[in-house]
Amino acid sequence: MRLPSRVQIVDVGPRDGLQNEKQPVPAEVKVELVHRLQAAGLAEIEVTSFVSPKWVPQMADNAQVMHGIRRQPGVRYSVLTPNMKGLEAALAAPREEWPDEIVVFGAASEAFSQKNINCSIAESIERFAPVVVAAKAQGIAVRGAMSCTVGCPYEGDIAPAKVGYLAGLMKGIGVARVDVADTIGVGTPRKVQAALEATLAHFDVDAVSGHFHDTYGQALSNTLAALQLGVWNHQSSIAGLGGCPYAKGATGNVATEEVVYMLHGMGIDTGIDLDALIDAGVFISQALGREPNSRVSKAVRTKRAG
Amino acid sequence: MRLPSRVQIVDVGPRDGLQNEKQPVPAEVKVELVHRLQAAGLAEIEVTSFVSPKWVPQMADNAQVMHGIRRQPGVRYSVLTPNMKGLEAALAAPREEWPDEIVVFGAASEAFSQKNINCSIAESIERFAPVVVAAKAQGIAVRGAMSCTVGCPYEGDIAPAKVGYLAGLMKGIGVARVDVADTIGVGTPRKVQAALEATLAHFDVDAVSGHFHDTYGQALSNTLAALQLGVWNHQSSIAGLGGCPYAKGATGNVATEEVVYMLHGMGIDTGIDLDALIDAGVFISQALGREPNSRVSKAVRTKRAG
């Protein structure tokens, strides 16, 4: 099995995870979570979203969180910016509190795009074009999150050609790298590889991340399939934070603990200390009043307890 | 990705699963579970164990269960026989209630063998030799379950050479096929492939099954890795029945639902109806008074509920 020797993980728990948790989390807890993640060795953290608090009240403390973080050299802090107003809000702070990277987004499904943001895929990406230009003018990197690249809650299966179409639009507006997300977790290895391959027609393998949800328990086998294509950037969420908005009570993001366990077991370097990671997951789960949604966390803690 | 076009699954839920559940289950419920599994398309079912009720009270109704099953043509019914006394008990019934296959077992870890059955690996396999001869003389197939092939709760990592040694002993006493089990679920794809490769030095690929526990959430990626070696026989447990005796409260057997979902998603034929399978899992879980330990089951039922 030919696999990359090193994997870089973006922990999206503070943003993608907590945004999909019902319970509000105080800003100081989010800041502490970021501190624990970077101390555990995460070199990329998706911190928050500069979105209207009317739509996403969980992220209303975005500026406060960015202000609270003690930055660690070599770590990249990213934020979601749904529009120019979001970018302006992110840049309203002193320069040292700016994100290193902003995240713009689009869906590979027309129905999802229409239902979610009330415009076509092409329109949604066009609207992001000036945001990308403005961010890059300030020296800020831009990542493009591509959702529903395998399946869509409205359209069902998504053809790889649609993923390629979206990737081409992202490339066209100057996005430097893209995430291939299985937003509803229905993907299996061959389908995920097809979505990735359609993306790799537009972006270099170093610029493509896998983002797989574990709703059907498939995230790790999909990660393995992605690794076999050479994809070495992966996104996951500490303690499996974040439910699935399309299947109440179901699992959303794959737990970072699971991904790291698999990678280390295969001798792949991540720079992450699994024990410290597990403790970070316990910290945020306790703040939410529940158990980490991670089998690795449970098994390791059971073993620790003897 | 080169994968087999067809996979045969042995559901071990009625035996390996229920044996590791605390709650006793009435014989008629076990019989109904077997009926539901075969109706869902399972062509191999591990039904019970002819072991002393002193050691495994959950299997005390073994003869009653074998008696109660309405056999379906083309389905293979197997039972665990820990010794000659077990085989004799299995064959005490009328011929039409005999198992099609018996399962003998051994560990790839000396420490596990000593702690579990109080003798060396070599001694344990030697003791099975007359059982294998007696079974084959009656036209009954023999499968060898090899435990701790990746890790052991006492010894830690298990070298592939030890798996090869056990596989050679199994071959030596005339076992027709073997299971490569990751009993404590610590395996990751490369380690599992190494254990399988050590086994494939002694057995043809058609005679080797994968049996992966999901304690660390790794079972499906390990299954994918096994498929990539051509291994097309796999064992799993309906509704994820069976905990992990070495990590209280942790997951044991991977859920059959998860395995079937992945295989069907990759276009691999199993002959199994996923919806009927999910219903069978709900049936036995209700009998145990809990939810199926399967993300596929949860996600599909959430979707069904709209």
Side-chain angles (χ1 to χ4, degrees):
Chain A
M1 220 188 316
R2 286 191 55 197
L3 300 171
S5 59
R6 177 178 156 253
V7 161
Q8 175 109 330
I9 292 177
V10 183
D11 199 295
V12 299
R15 201 287 299 173
D16 193 17
L18 291 181
Q19 175 169 332
N20 289 301
E21 295 283 345
K22 273 179 215 147
Q23 283 172 267
V25 172
E28 57 271 24
V29 171
K30 295 177 182 174
V31 168
E32 172 71 12
L33 174 60
V34 171
H35 289 166
R36 282 173 179 257
L37 288 172
Q38 63 192 19
L42 264 303
E44 293 196 49
I45 303 170
E46 198 173 280
V47 176
T48 186
S49 177
F50 282 87
V51 61
S52 161
K54 204 176 73 189
W55 296 110
V56 188
Q58 294 96 324
M59 298 289 125
D61 56 5
N62 40 36
Q64 204 184 335
V65 173
M66 291 301 282
H67 175 73
I69 297 170
R70 276 190 321 274
R71 301 229 177 168
Q72 192 169 293
V75 176
R76 176 180 280 215
Y77 305 87
S78 58
V79 305
L80 203 78
T81 53
N83 46 41
M84 190 61 90
K85 212 172 147 190
L87 177 65
E88 285 164 1
L91 302 188
R95 186 149 202 144
E96 64 271 19
E97 295 175 17
W98 286 11
D100 300 303
E101 183 176 64
I102 61 159
V103 182
V104 300
F105 50 88
S109 152
E110 281 293 351
F112 191 88
S113 186
Q114 289 291 353
K115 292 228 181 193
N116 243 36
I117 47 177
N118 210 24
C119 66
S120 73
I121 296 170
E123 283 165 350
S124 74
I125 302 304
E126 244 168 67
R127 288 183 197 169
F128 273 125
V131 180
V132 175
V133 170
K136 290 170 86 171
Q138 300 294 342
I140 295 171
V142 181
R143 176 154 61 84
M146 308 198 299
S147 66
C148 297
T149 63
V150 183
C152 160
Y154 312 113
E155 280 185 33
D157 280 359
I158 295 295
K162 293 186 180 174
V163 182
Y165 169 67
L166 176 60
L169 293 177
M170 288 281 190
K171 184 85 179 178
I173 62 167
V175 164
R177 54 182 197 152
V178 286
D179 316 332
V180 177
D182 179 15
T183 309
I184 55 172
V186 295
T188 41
R190 278 176 165 156
K191 291 180 185 175
V192 161
Q193 285 195 337
L196 288 166
E197 277 162 348
T199 306
L200 290 166
H202 299 274
F203 287 90
D204 186 79
V205 72
D206 299 337
V208 173
S209 311
H211 179 126
F212 309 126
H213 281 214
D214 212 20
T215 320
Y216 291 75
Q218 308 293 315
L220 284 193
S221 40
N222 291 338
T223 302
L224 181 61
L227 293 170
Q228 292 185 294
L229 291 184
V231 172
W232 61 278
N233 285 280
H234 288 277
Q235 305 188 342
S236 56
S237 179
I238 182 73
L241 290 181
C244 177
Y246 308 99
K248 231 177 177 173
T251 305
N253 286 297
V254 65
T256 306
E257 294 90 324
E258 260 72 337
V259 178
V260 169
Y261 182 91
M262 180 175 82
L263 294 169
H264 289 187
M266 295 194 293
I268 296 172
D269 179 34
T270 65
I272 294 170
D273 176 332
L274 181 57
D275 278 304
L277 186 72
I278 287 169
D279 292 342
V282 170
F283 164 77
I284 188 64
S285 300
Q286 281 175 342
L288 291 164
R290 61 162 169 83
E291 278 287 298
N293 193 359
S294 158
R295 288 181 173 171
V296 167
S297 178
K298 181 161 204 165
V300 169
R301 286 180 295 123
T302 305
K303 220 178 148 189
R304 277 186 198 165
Chain B
M1 223 188 313
R2 285 191 57 195
L3 301 171
S5 58
R6 176 178 156 254
V7 161
Q8 175 110 328
I9 292 177
V10 184
D11 199 294
V12 300
R15 202 286 300 172
D16 193 18
L18 292 181
Q19 175 169 332
N20 289 301
E21 294 282 345
K22 271 178 217 149
Q23 284 173 266
V25 172
E28 56 271 25
V29 172
K30 295 178 182 174
V31 168
E32 172 71 13
L33 174 60
V34 170
H35 289 165
R36 283 174 178 256
L37 289 172
Q38 63 191 19
L42 264 301
E44 292 197 47
I45 303 170
E46 197 174 281
V47 176
T48 186
S49 177
F50 282 87
V51 61
S52 161
K54 203 177 73 188
W55 296 110
V56 186
Q58 294 97 323
M59 298 288 125
D61 56 6
N62 41 35
Q64 203 184 336
V65 172
M66 292 302 281
H67 175 72
I69 297 170
R70 277 189 321 273
R71 301 228 177 170
Q72 191 170 293
V75 176
R76 177 181 280 216
Y77 305 88
S78 58
V79 305
L80 203 79
T81 53
N83 47 40
M84 191 61 91
K85 212 173 150 191
L87 177 64
E88 285 165 0
L91 303 189
R95 186 150 201 144
E96 63 272 20
E97 295 175 18
W98 286 9
D100 300 304
E101 182 175 67
I102 61 159
V103 182
V104 301
F105 50 89
S109 151
E110 282 292 352
F112 192 88
S113 186
Q114 289 291 353
K115 291 229 180 193
N116 243 35
I117 46 177
N118 210 23
C119 65
S120 74
I121 296 170
E123 282 164 350
S124 74
I125 302 304
E126 244 168 68
R127 288 183 198 171
F128 273 125
V131 181
V132 175
V133 170
K136 290 170 87 170
Q138 300 293 342
I140 295 171
V142 181
R143 177 154 60 83
M146 307 199 298
S147 66
C148 298
T149 62
V150 183
C152 160
Y154 313 114
E155 279 185 33
D157 280 359
I158 295 296
K162 293 186 179 175
V163 182
Y165 168 68
L166 175 61
L169 293 177
M170 287 280 189
K171 184 84 179 180
I173 61 167
V175 164
R177 54 182 198 151
V178 285
D179 317 332
V180 177
D182 178 15
T183 309
I184 55 171
V186 295
T188 42
R190 279 177 164 156
K191 291 180 185 175
V192 161
Q193 284 194 336
L196 288 166
E197 278 163 348
T199 306
L200 290 166
H202 299 273
F203 286 90
D204 185 80
V205 72
D206 298 337
V208 174
S209 312
H211 179 127
F212 308 126
H213 281 212
D214 212 19
T215 319
Y216 291 75
Q218 308 293 315
L220 285 193
S221 39
N222 291 338
T223 302
L224 181 62
L227 293 169
Q228 292 185 295
L229 291 184
V231 173
W232 60 278
N233 285 281
H234 288 277
Q235 305 187 343
S236 56
S237 179
I238 182 73
L241 291 181
C244 178
Y246 308 98
K248 232 180 179 172
T251 304
N253 286 296
V254 65
T256 306
E257 294 90 323
E258 259 72 337
V259 178
V260 169
Y261 182 93
M262 180 175 83
L263 294 169
H264 289 187
M266 294 194 294
I268 297 173
D269 179 34
T270 65
I272 293 170
D273 177 331
L274 181 58
D275 278 305
L277 186 72
I278 287 168
D279 293 340
V282 170
F283 164 78
I284 188 63
S285 300
Q286 281 175 343
L288 290 165
R290 61 162 168 85
E291 279 286 298
N293 194 359
S294 158
R295 289 182 172 169
V296 166
S297 177
K298 180 160 207 167
V300 168
R301 287 180 296 123
T302 304
K303 220 178 149 188
R304 278 185 196 167

